[in-house]
Amino acid sequence: MIRNRQILLASRPQGEAGLDNFSLVEQDLPGPEELAEGQVLVRNHFLSLDPYMRGRMNDSKSYAAPQPLGAVMLGGTAGEVIASRNPAFQAGDSVVGMGGWQEHFVVDASQRGVLNKVDTRHIPLSAYLGAVGMPGVTAWYGLTQIIRPKAGETVVVSAASGAVGSVVGQLAKARGARAVGLAGGAEKCRYVVEELGFDACIDYRQHPDLASLSQALKAACPDGIDGHFENVGGLILDAVLLRANAFSRVAMCGMISGYNGEPIPLQYPQLILTNRMKVEGFIVSEHMELWPEALKELGGLVATGRLKFRESVAQGLEAAPEAFLGLLKGRNFGKQLVKLV
Amino acid sequence: MIRNRQILLASRPQGEAGLDNFSLVEQDLPGPEELAEGQVLVRNHFLSLDPYMRGRMNDSKSYAAPQPLGAVMLGGTAGEVIASRNPAFQAGDSVVGMGGWQEHFVVDASQRGVLNKVDTRHIPLSAYLGAVGMPGVTAWYGLTQIIRPKAGETVVVSAASGAVGSVVGQLAKARGARAVGLAGGAEKCRYVVEELGFDACIDYRQHPDLASLSQALKAACPDGIDGHFENVGGLILDAVLLRANAFSRVAMCGMISGYNGEPIPLQYPQLILTNRMKVEGFIVSEHMELWPEALKELGGLVATGRLKFRESVAQGLEAAPEAFLGLLKGRNFGKQLVKLV
């Protein structure tokens, strides 16, 4: 047996989430000698923290079943096989899976996709939770399957310095489009333009009302907006619609501005009609058939240094709740991880 | 020369449109003997009145250039060739075109599509302004190109007794879908179900708030909503989104509830994301390549009595403004026409 520390969902947030919604517990896990046929024991090196987790803390109807109360927080992990009774894995393998917020987990790895071996020779392990993982594929899907930018078009993305947004803009640039980001604060905006290569980035904190934000978008997008990748919603989506071109496309990926239950009405839905727009929501886990193609492009770009990313790394399992709450407030810079080893 | 009576846009509405926004004038038109090479003189038998005309009375940015002030009101017409100096037309031909709100017009018919001959042996002339014209093709496009219903799915349409909505539901039924209408008043709802064959119709006037309308939709759509054809917007769109299924599609065709400038915010845009919906605006005149296919189906259905429609017919050019204002308030029943002959 081995001792395993976990973080559970202790209670559902009323409005904003807080530290008291989580609890840290210890449990006993089967040790290497106690594994059943097909099982693998994994030590998590990194936990992925992602905005979608906030939605699952609520008890309301959403695309996925709510996170169960009293159960370990769900989430992607990257780690190392400690012991295996599965012929496809052996001790020392680098793997990614849905290990949750805990230090170890045991999984029956017989079912395809539950645990995936990854190659860390050219790509760092943590990147498989970011640019070469779910966030990267999310960016790839929304950009290439919904926005489908043509060279010369303008693509806007909110939360542009984050794990998803940073990839959206770089992929758009690689396709010859103009990439314009929205991010919170001058430092993030500088990073988005100078490091990631976006054409412009708007600090939305400097534009707290619709008229001001819309004006900033007009300046940054002199030819209007042809594609928009939405991670935030609310005021940002309103402002984008006011600058949207005919036949523009909006990929709806996240609406973090409403995750605490705040009303986030869309002020001018009639623009979808007058601009003959297409607005489409998606969840990347429902399009698994495209992951191999996406991961091939993303992995190649990361391995050759053409796709850049940044990570915020919290240290130790007990730091996960605080880091997660920070992510919801935009305190992270790039992909938010928790390092356990 | 012949005397021609016309209705002009005299002023732009401030809020609700009124009779004083129109003026009736007389002008001289070239007579049969004065036509230039290629020109055709047409006597309009029917004017088409359509909600889109209200949008063009405003001076604001929209998909089409605003209707010019002081010019004849634009619109579709069906009539008879009085004289022709164009080899493709001869006196007595039944034709449809964009003749506008007037009794006669002269047009250079050399350009393809400006004037079209129609066959009135099996289809009445007026139907070419309705079920076998622009409104019918609008219904066909939104249903078959955006909603794409599968057999057994549920399709909802607002303004269900109108020229567009009535066709949407009947085409949905023909494809094996459940058709649910929204209309104003018990008489229209009875017509939609008993005459047009919809499965259900909700009198939205009985449900003035979101909770009530959403509840009525739940009762009429026990398996949720897979496709929605929107002619109205506002409260109706909000209520539909609350009952929308995963992967549902919304064809945005009109938002008549906001044509006078009232705010019509969409209360829960996050449902587009959580339900992975596709919301798409369109204008049928931008898809001319599909009109032949659509008209073939619609014409066949009307000629064989399988596609039913109803008309509200105002008599005489001077009745057009009043009839148009009534259309905007839902006082029409089916396709609103003005009969001139």
Side-chain angles (χ1 to χ4, degrees):
Chain A
M1 289 212 304
I2 58 170
R3 291 297 281 172
N4 182 44
R5 298 201 305 160
Q6 307 180 303
I7 290 177
L8 312 183
L9 179 64
S11 60
R12 300 200 186 279
Q14 306 297 319
E16 207 169 294
L19 289 177
D20 58 345
N21 297 127
F22 304 94
S23 60
L24 193 154
V25 300
E26 294 200 14
Q27 62 153 200
D28 289 324
L29 267 186
E33 66 290 347
E34 298 154 305
L35 293 179
E37 185 66 35
Q39 285 187 331
V40 177
L41 170 62
V42 180
R43 181 178 185 190
N44 291 330
H45 287 214
F46 292 99
L47 314 183
S48 176
L49 299 183
D50 301 280
Y52 78 83
M53 295 166 173
R54 176 63 186 84
R56 300 193 66 173
M57 291 174 74
N58 292 340
D59 200 13
S60 54
K61 180 192 169 191
S62 184
Y63 43 83
Q67 157 84 42
L69 262 186
V72 64
M73 285 289 293
L74 299 170
T77 52
E80 176 192 1
V81 172
I82 301 293
S84 171
R85 285 195 62 197
N86 187 304
F89 297 90
Q90 52 184 322
D93 283 350
S94 292
V95 289
V96 294
M98 290 298 284
W101 294 18
Q102 54 187 339
E103 293 173 331
H104 300 82
F105 68 110
V106 170
V107 64
D108 182 336
S110 310
Q111 203 187 331
R112 194 158 165 271
V114 163
L115 201 64
N116 290 306
K117 280 203 275 194
V118 294
D119 184 343
T120 56
R121 285 173 301 171
H122 305 292
I123 297 172
L125 179 61
S126 62
Y128 288 103
L129 298 177
V132 194
M134 184 274 289
V137 179
T138 299
W140 185 93
Y141 183 89
L143 188 81
T144 69
Q145 304 300 302
I146 297 175
I147 296 176
R148 298 178 181 272
K150 297 189 195 75
E153 288 192 330
T154 296
V155 174
V156 171
V157 55
S158 54
S161 70
V164 174
S166 60
V167 177
V168 171
Q170 292 179 85
L171 291 179
K173 286 296 292 179
R175 282 157 174 77
R178 177 177 174 82
V180 174
L182 290 147
E187 192 191 351
K188 286 182 179 175
C189 282
R190 193 162 46 239
Y191 165 73
V192 164
V193 172
E194 294 179 8
E195 302 285 322
L196 301 180
F198 283 47
D199 297 282
C201 188
I202 296 164
D203 178 2
Y204 67 80
R205 294 184 185 162
Q206 301 298 318
H207 304 283
D209 61 82
L210 185 55
S212 171
L213 188 57
S214 166
Q215 199 56 42
L217 277 166
K218 186 178 184 181
C221 308
D223 298 325
I225 297 170
D226 301 295
H228 175 58
F229 193 107
E230 185 58 275
N231 290 309
V232 176
L235 183 66
I236 288 178
L237 187 54
D238 280 331
V240 165
L241 254 62
L242 288 175
R243 299 298 170 199
N245 288 334
F247 309 110
S248 51
R249 293 81 64 193
V250 175
M252 297 269 267
C253 173
M255 301 197 83
I256 198 170
S257 64
Y259 281 8
N260 292 331
E262 311 90 326
I264 49 167
L266 186 67
Q267 296 302 325
Y268 303 107
Q270 54 270 60
L271 292 168
I272 298 173
L273 170 58
T274 54
N275 291 328
R276 293 87 88 203
M277 298 176 67
K278 189 173 75 171
V279 180
E280 194 168 339
F282 74 102
I283 294 172
V284 72
S285 56
E286 292 175 334
H287 304 278
M288 295 308 296
E289 74 286 0
L290 292 170
W291 281 53
E293 182 185 350
L295 288 173
K296 189 176 168 192
E297 178 176 354
L298 295 163
L301 291 171
V302 166
T304 54
R306 286 173 292 161
L307 181 62
K308 293 171 183 160
F309 59 90
R310 191 158 167 168
E311 295 169 342
S312 286
V313 183
Q315 190 63 46
L317 184 70
E318 59 281 2
E322 182 86 45
F324 178 65
L325 299 176
L327 169 71
L328 295 177
K329 292 183 180 302
R331 293 205 192 106
N332 61 307
F333 200 143
K335 173 67 195 175
Q336 180 67 56
L337 298 166
V338 181
K339 193 167 191 308
L340 302 181
V341 175
Chain B
M1 289 212 303
I2 59 172
R3 293 296 281 171
N4 183 43
R5 298 199 306 159
Q6 307 180 302
I7 289 177
L8 313 183
L9 178 65
S11 60
R12 301 199 185 279
Q14 306 297 318
E16 207 170 294
L19 289 176
D20 59 345
N21 297 126
F22 304 94
S23 61
L24 192 154
V25 300
E26 293 199 16
Q27 64 154 198
D28 290 323
L29 266 187
E33 65 292 347
E34 297 155 305
L35 294 177
E37 187 66 35
Q39 284 187 331
V40 176
L41 170 62
V42 179
R43 181 178 184 192
N44 291 330
H45 287 213
F46 292 100
L47 314 182
S48 177
L49 299 182
D50 301 279
Y52 78 83
M53 295 166 172
R54 176 63 186 85
R56 301 193 67 173
M57 291 173 74
N58 292 340
D59 200 13
S60 53
K61 180 193 169 189
S62 183
Y63 43 82
Q67 157 83 43
L69 261 185
V72 64
M73 284 290 292
L74 299 171
T77 52
E80 176 191 1
V81 171
I82 300 292
S84 172
R85 285 197 64 197
N86 187 302
F89 297 90
Q90 51 184 326
D93 283 349
S94 292
V95 288
V96 294
M98 290 297 285
W101 295 18
Q102 55 187 338
E103 293 172 330
H104 301 81
F105 69 109
V106 170
V107 64
D108 183 337
S110 310
Q111 202 186 331
R112 194 157 165 272
V114 163
L115 202 65
N116 290 306
K117 278 203 277 195
V118 295
D119 184 342
T120 56
R121 285 173 301 170
H122 304 292
I123 297 172
L125 179 61
S126 61
Y128 288 103
L129 298 177
V132 194
M134 184 274 289
V137 179
T138 299
W140 185 94
Y141 183 89
L143 188 81
T144 70
Q145 305 300 302
I146 296 175
I147 295 176
R148 298 179 181 273
K150 296 190 197 76
E153 287 193 330
T154 297
V155 174
V156 171
V157 55
S158 53
S161 70
V164 175
S166 60
V167 177
V168 171
Q170 292 179 86
L171 291 179
K173 287 295 292 177
R175 282 155 175 79
R178 177 178 175 82
V180 174
L182 290 149
E187 193 191 349
K188 285 182 179 175
C189 283
R190 194 163 44 239
Y191 166 73
V192 164
V193 173
E194 294 178 8
E195 301 287 320
L196 301 181
F198 283 48
D199 296 282
C201 189
I202 296 165
D203 178 2
Y204 67 81
R205 292 183 185 163
Q206 300 298 319
H207 303 283
D209 61 80
L210 184 55
S212 170
L213 188 57
S214 166
Q215 198 57 42
L217 278 166
K218 185 179 185 181
C221 307
D223 298 325
I225 298 169
D226 302 295
H228 175 58
F229 192 106
E230 186 57 275
N231 290 310
V232 176
L235 183 66
I236 289 179
L237 187 54
D238 280 332
V240 165
L241 255 62
L242 288 176
R243 299 297 169 200
N245 288 334
F247 310 110
S248 52
R249 295 79 65 194
V250 175
M252 297 268 267
C253 173
M255 302 196 82
I256 198 170
S257 64
Y259 280 9
N260 292 331
E262 311 89 326
I264 47 167
L266 185 67
Q267 296 302 325
Y268 302 108
Q270 55 269 62
L271 292 169
I272 299 173
L273 169 57
T274 54
N275 291 329
R276 293 86 89 205
M277 298 176 67
K278 188 174 76 171
V279 180
E280 193 168 339
F282 74 101
I283 294 171
V284 72
S285 56
E286 292 175 335
H287 304 280
M288 295 308 295
E289 75 286 359
L290 292 170
W291 281 54
E293 181 185 350
L295 289 173
K296 189 176 169 193
E297 178 175 354
L298 296 163
L301 291 172
V302 167
T304 54
R306 285 173 292 161
L307 181 63
K308 293 173 182 158
F309 58 90
R310 191 157 167 167
E311 295 170 343
S312 287
V313 183
Q315 190 62 47
L317 184 70
E318 58 282 3
E322 182 86 46
F324 178 66
L325 299 177
L327 169 71
L328 296 178
K329 292 184 181 300
R331 293 205 192 106
N332 60 308
F333 199 144
K335 173 66 195 176
Q336 180 67 57
L337 298 167
V338 181
K339 192 167 191 308
L340 302 181
V341 175

